[in-house]
Amino acid sequence: MGNLIGITILLLLLIAIPFPPPSSSSSATSSSGNSSTREVIEVGGGPDDLVWMVQLSDLHFSVHHPERAREFQEIVGFALSFIKPSLVLLTGDLTDGKSKDLLIMKQDEDEWIEYQKVMQDVVQRSGLDRSAFYDIRGNHDNFGVPVVGGSYDFYSKYSINGQLQRTGKVNSVTIQTSKRKLLFVGFDSTMSSGFRGPTNLFGHPTDELLAEINSELSQWDSQPTQLVTKVSFGHFPLSFSAASKSGKTLQDIFIKHSLDAYLCGHLHTKFGKNLKRHHHSSHHASYSKQLFQLNGHRTPSGNASTCSKDATSIGEFWEWEMGDWRKSRAMRILAIDGGHISFVDINFKLGAKETIILPTFPLDSRFTSASSQNYKCGLTDPSSYEFIRVLVFSSSPIVSVLAKIYDSSPGNLILVLETQMKKLAGSHGNLYIAPWNIQAFEDPSPDRFLLQIEVSDIMGRSTASEHRPFSVSGIPAKVPWGWKEFFVMGCQWDSLYYPILWCFYLLVLSILLIPKALLSFSRRQYTYKNFKANKSLINGLSWIFTELYNVPVAWCCVVAYLFYLVLCPWFYGQVFTEGRERAYMTYRGWVSSFNNLGRLEFLGSPDVMVVVLPHLFFVVLPAIMTITVLAAENGMYRDYLLSLSSKKKDDYDGQYKDSALPGSSISKTSQIILCGRWIRKLLLAVSLAISWKHFKNCAALTKAYEMNPIIHFPFYSFAIPLVLAYTIWKTGKNFNSITKK
């Protein structure tokens, strides 16, 4: 009876508890339990194995810059109306989320309302179905969003994905042609709790997200006879994507599935126009441990000229960052022709384009893969390489399409082939072809031959494509990187953050502590005068550190401050758009709550590196160097004054007396510098510059996280300027005491 009563009470409690409704899913649910959508689009008509799509990124619609949305509405809708892509991918940062001074970074609903209205108009003007548009979230769309689906998650309310109930972190769409499946997998790797910027810079794929991406990319693997081309798209470049808690990375997933291309945004064109990177690994397991990649191009394999199966067994994929709409007004058209990917990036800075040209064969030798390295291996339909193929998109009827091939080996361009192209009959797009003799252009140089297409329309307008290098043997050409491109694409920043941080601490603390320990056991006194008499690196360093330790308060404060930065919070800030308690930031990330085990949960790492590393390298390190040189200059000036007054110290050897007197070994230049205290004056200017730089950073952080420097981060704000001021005062006091004597 007692058991029956207990069961009855339990049932009543279960009925009374209001459980949330289950989340909806448009098509399928992934194995990880998060809702995701899978869609399939059938492409009819000819050509049989050709599909193209459009990518746009980093729109940054802003209430402070209405021209971005206005020009997007005018240009993009018109361009899409004659391009007629199968998909339109918008890879993040749909809105800006920044104040006019660029310091406050949180969601603005007015920007999202504008985005929704513009996209509705673009869809209408383009004539495309709204389901062809996939817009994913970027870090700007996540600034200050405490909870996905909450009141400040405007992306879920106003984006096309949100309105179409694509609520999962991963969404895939398959385009089915008569010969292959083209699988596109898009994902959102922004932080689950979106902090305000600037500490919201990296993608954070979780183990659950990686499992879901893995599931989506493998959805057609059960059909081994079916040709599948796999493309993924997200916002963050892989160099700005962190590893999951278990150490897994997006690179490893992409390598495992032999991805053809990863499309992303985030970096904009201000870092370079060649933000393309080829990823490869013959050993999948250790690929994610790579910290640097010195160049972005594909390295030719030893099997480049053969049809060996080993030539295509290397795990690889291309990563192509997309230029931004924000300033560059960039748009990309990407075509997949016979499984081979080509693209063209268009600049709309000067307005709309009436004609756009995209050659699909021969392939651009800068962006080929190992699987397409030799067209004569018999792995593809011979008709795919017996013709020059080009897509021409135009708002007016085309009159003439001309293919030209140039030989650049003599040092200048020599036209070696000029042929008229014809539109392929029955094509649902403007595909033009022309027969050619592919064997005539075999050459070991990947950029000897250049392809250019010239198009004339009925309005008399003539448009020419860029000169594209190609290699019929599949030998890759180089994709040159400048230092900025290497900096943002070639460095794996999530893996580099802690090595850089601890190398800084190892170096600085070694310099500050080891000489202190060694000199404490030495009975020899090191002075500037001794150093002049016996110049050596050891004597010079010993003298400099001796002078630094003669200002013990400054030295102790610097050491204590370094330990404070790794043991204590840096500041307390408002990290969400509105509401919720303040969080505090450490070098390990933000802490806003405890996890289920009652332990501190650090979020936003390595994003905090944008605050931590600049502070250490551009404020703390210069301050330490300035304090050290101020102390050394103090010793130099003290010895100079003693020599002028013919005074001696007990630890001065009498044999140096004559050399210390004015007019002996001290040069006139040294006397002018010491007498005028020019080194000290320069150091005072440097101290002011460091303090100005530091206070400028503090002012930016004050606005970004709504903080009061005195209340929320006094040690961070005032420690370095106060130590600099104390050192200046202390060394100046020594000058005055010596002068009075």
Side-chain angles (χ1 to χ4, degrees):
M1 185 67 176
N3 291 337
L4 181 60
I5 294 174
I7 294 173
T8 303
I9 294 173
L10 179 61
L11 289 174
L12 290 174
L13 288 173
L14 290 174
I15 294 172
I17 296 174
F19 289 100
S23 58
S24 61
S25 174
S26 298
S27 178
T29 302
S30 72
S31 60
S32 64
N34 296 326
S35 61
S36 63
T37 61
R38 290 180 179 177
E39 300 180 17
V40 178
I41 300 174
E42 297 281 347
V43 177
D48 293 334
D49 202 7
L50 174 62
V51 173
W52 59 92
M53 59 289 308
V54 163
Q55 181 192 0
L56 294 138
S57 192
D58 297 87
L59 281 54
H60 289 270
F61 286 0
S62 170
V63 294
H64 308 293
H65 298 277
E67 72 281 357
R68 297 174 190 170
R70 183 179 64 250
E71 293 179 14
F72 187 92
Q73 184 174 359
E74 295 171 353
I75 295 173
V76 174
F78 170 70
L80 294 178
S81 67
F82 63 83
I83 296 174
K84 296 296 181 185
S86 297
L87 292 175
V88 180
L89 311 177
L90 296 102
T91 50
D93 283 358
L94 312 175
T95 63
D96 198 41
K98 282 189 176 184
S99 60
K100 193 172 184 178
D101 60 6
L102 307 180
L103 295 179
I104 301 176
M105 307 177 197
K106 61 182 181 179
Q107 297 304 293
D108 189 326
E109 190 170 11
D110 290 337
E111 294 178 348
W112 282 103
I113 294 173
E114 181 180 46
Y115 172 77
Q116 182 186 41
K117 291 179 179 178
V118 169
M119 291 310 301
Q120 287 175 346
D121 185 77
V122 167
V123 170
Q124 184 177 0
R125 289 191 184 192
S126 68
L128 302 174
D129 192 277
R130 188 171 64 154
S131 63
F133 289 76
Y134 283 77
D135 51 358
I136 60 176
R137 193 194 313 254
N139 60 310
H140 280 249
D141 309 317
N142 198 38
F143 280 158
V145 178
V147 180
V148 173
S151 58
Y152 290 100
D153 180 18
F154 300 128
Y155 167 85
S156 297
K157 181 178 180 180
Y158 295 106
S159 68
I160 293 178
N161 274 7
Q163 294 167 10
L164 293 178
Q165 298 302 308
R166 296 168 181 160
T167 56
K169 282 276 191 177
V170 181
N171 297 288
S172 69
V173 55
T174 300
I175 301 178
Q176 177 71 64
T177 70
S178 61
K179 293 187 177 181
R180 75 178 62 242
K181 295 182 186 294
L182 308 176
L183 174 61
F184 291 82
V185 177
F187 60 88
D188 173 10
S189 61
T190 56
M191 286 190 285
S192 56
S193 294
F195 300 127
R196 295 187 186 185
T199 55
N200 187 340
L201 185 65
F202 281 74
H204 291 267
T206 61
D207 286 309
E208 294 77 13
L209 179 67
L210 293 176
E212 196 169 355
I213 295 172
N214 180 71
S215 175
E216 294 300 307
L217 286 173
S218 61
Q219 63 183 271
W220 301 113
D221 291 354
S222 60
Q223 304 177 18
T225 59
Q226 177 72 58
L227 296 175
V228 181
T229 298
K230 300 178 181 181
V231 176
S232 186
F233 59 97
H235 177 65
F236 298 94
L238 299 180
S239 55
F240 283 86
S241 293
S244 67
K245 287 185 178 180
S246 66
K248 297 178 182 178
T249 66
L250 287 166
Q251 291 99 312
D252 296 326
I253 300 295
F254 293 160
I255 286 286
K256 172 186 174 183
H257 287 280
S258 300
L259 196 75
D260 288 87
Y262 170 58
L263 312 177
C264 60
H266 190 52
L267 293 179
H268 302 205
T269 54
K270 65 182 178 181
F271 290 107
K273 296 182 179 180
N274 282 327
L275 297 177
K276 284 85 176 175
R277 180 181 176 186
H278 183 263
H279 299 260
H280 66 280
S281 175
S282 56
H283 303 285
H284 300 175
S286 61
Y287 178 72
S288 61
K289 306 301 181 183
Q290 184 176 341
L291 298 180
F292 298 101
Q293 184 170 316
L294 298 178
N295 55 68
H297 57 264
R298 178 169 72 90
T299 304
S301 64
N303 300 316
S305 61
T306 72
C307 294
S308 169
K309 291 184 179 180
D310 294 336
T312 58
S313 63
I314 299 175
E316 61 165 350
F317 67 93
W318 272 102
E319 177 185 3
W320 292 325
E321 198 272 349
M322 174 69 211
D324 60 290
W325 179 266
R326 178 178 178 265
K327 285 189 176 181
S328 302
R329 301 295 190 265
M331 183 175 80
R332 171 177 293 161
I333 304 177
L334 183 139
I336 303 178
D337 188 2
H340 302 308
I341 303 180
S342 303
F343 65 90
V344 60
D345 289 338
I346 308 153
N347 186 328
F348 287 109
K349 271 189 173 182
L350 300 179
K353 306 288 184 184
E354 303 291 339
T355 302
I356 300 171
I357 304 168
L358 173 53
T360 64
F361 190 83
L363 298 173
D364 190 328
S365 58
R366 294 168 295 182
F367 307 117
T368 57
S369 59
S371 61
S372 60
Q373 67 182 2
N374 199 314
Y375 307 123
K376 300 180 297 180
C377 290
L379 301 176
T380 57
D381 185 353
S383 62
S384 65
Y385 56 78
E386 290 179 350
F387 295 88
I388 299 173
R389 298 160 66 90
V390 60
L391 280 168
V392 180
F393 308 103
S394 179
S395 60
S396 302
I398 301 299
V399 174
S400 171
V401 178
L402 198 63
K404 295 182 178 181
I405 295 180
Y406 294 89
D407 185 351
S408 63
S409 60
N412 54 349
L413 299 182
I414 298 178
L415 183 64
V416 294
L417 175 65
E418 183 174 5
T419 181
Q420 193 73 33
M421 305 189 74
K422 295 182 179 181
K423 185 177 179 181
L424 184 67
S427 171
H428 69 279
N430 291 336
L431 177 66
Y432 288 79
I433 63 174
W436 70 324
N437 181 10
I438 188 172
Q439 287 83 5
F441 298 98
E442 290 187 13
D443 193 87
S445 173
D447 50 11
R448 174 183 175 181
F449 294 107
L450 308 174
L451 173 67
Q452 185 182 45
I453 307 297
E454 292 184 1
V455 177
S456 300
D457 64 14
I458 198 171
M459 304 296 293
R461 294 184 292 253
S462 180
T463 306
S465 67
E466 66 170 348
H467 293 89
R468 287 196 172 199
F470 67 89
S471 170
V472 300
S473 298
I475 302 173
K478 293 183 177 181
V479 180
W481 270 352
W483 71 268
K484 289 194 297 184
E485 291 159 323
F486 165 74
F487 185 75
V488 296
M489 289 290 285
C491 300
Q492 197 62 37
W493 284 107
D494 71 304
S495 300
L496 285 170
Y497 170 47
Y498 283 113
I500 292 174
L501 175 69
W502 297 128
C503 283
F504 172 89
Y505 264 84
L506 179 63
L507 176 64
V508 173
L509 289 178
S510 296
I511 291 174
L512 291 175
L513 298 178
I514 293 177
K516 176 72 172 177
L518 295 176
L519 290 173
S520 64
F521 291 102
S522 176
R523 296 183 178 181
R524 182 177 177 183
Q525 294 186 350
Y526 294 93
T527 64
Y528 176 61
K529 190 172 183 180
N530 291 335
F531 169 67
K532 287 194 303 178
N534 185 13
K535 292 182 179 179
S536 68
L537 179 62
I538 298 298
N539 284 340
L541 292 176
S542 299
W543 157 64
I544 290 174
F545 285 115
T546 298
E547 297 295 346
L548 174 62
Y549 304 142
N550 286 336
V551 192
V553 173
W555 176 80
C556 289
C557 286
V558 167
V559 173
Y561 185 67
L562 288 172
F563 280 100
Y564 169 84
L565 293 179
V566 295
L567 296 175
C568 303
W570 287 37
F571 43 77
Y572 294 80
Q574 181 69 47
V575 294
F576 298 111
T577 298
E578 299 291 345
R580 293 188 62 168
E581 68 282 357
R582 289 179 175 271
Y584 65 84
M585 197 206 85
T586 72
Y587 79 96
R588 296 175 61 186
W590 287 96
V591 177
S592 61
S593 61
F594 292 87
N595 60 21
N596 296 332
L597 300 177
R599 298 176 181 177
L600 294 178
E601 186 173 6
F602 294 93
L603 303 175
S605 177
D607 306 70
V608 294
M609 68 185 294
V610 300
V611 173
V612 173
L613 295 186
H615 181 64
L616 293 178
F617 283 95
F618 301 125
V619 176
V620 177
L621 182 60
I624 293 173
M625 295 172 64
T626 302
I627 291 169
T628 303
V629 179
L630 275 168
E633 195 271 345
N634 177 37
M636 293 172 61
Y637 192 66
R638 181 185 63 244
D639 285 2
Y640 174 70
L641 292 179
L642 289 174
S643 67
L644 288 179
S645 60
S646 299
K647 292 182 178 180
K648 298 181 181 178
K649 283 193 171 185
D650 295 338
D651 58 345
Y652 275 31
D653 195 334
Q655 61 179 325
Y656 304 128
K657 177 179 178 181
D658 294 335
S659 62
L661 294 175
S664 56
S665 63
I666 300 179
S667 66
K668 292 183 178 180
T669 302
S670 299
Q671 290 186 39
I672 293 173
I673 293 175
L674 290 172
C675 185
R677 297 163 62 182
W678 294 110
I679 296 177
R680 180 176 173 82
K681 292 177 181 177
L682 177 62
L683 293 174
L684 293 179
V686 171
S687 300
L688 288 174
I690 294 171
S691 299
W692 175 83
K693 170 68 175 174
H694 177 57
F695 284 133
K696 187 178 179 182
N697 293 343
C698 291
L701 291 171
T702 298
K703 294 202 68 176
Y705 300 112
E706 299 181 18
M707 296 185 295
N708 184 309
I710 298 176
I711 298 174
H712 297 119
F713 57 128
F715 293 102
Y716 176 90
S717 299
F718 301 110
I720 290 297
L722 288 177
V723 173
L724 283 170
Y726 171 80
T727 305
I728 293 170
W729 171 78
K730 184 66 175 177
T731 53
K733 182 180 179 182
N734 289 344
F735 294 158
N736 294 333
S737 63
I738 294 173
T739 304
K740 289 179 182 179
K741 291 179 182 180

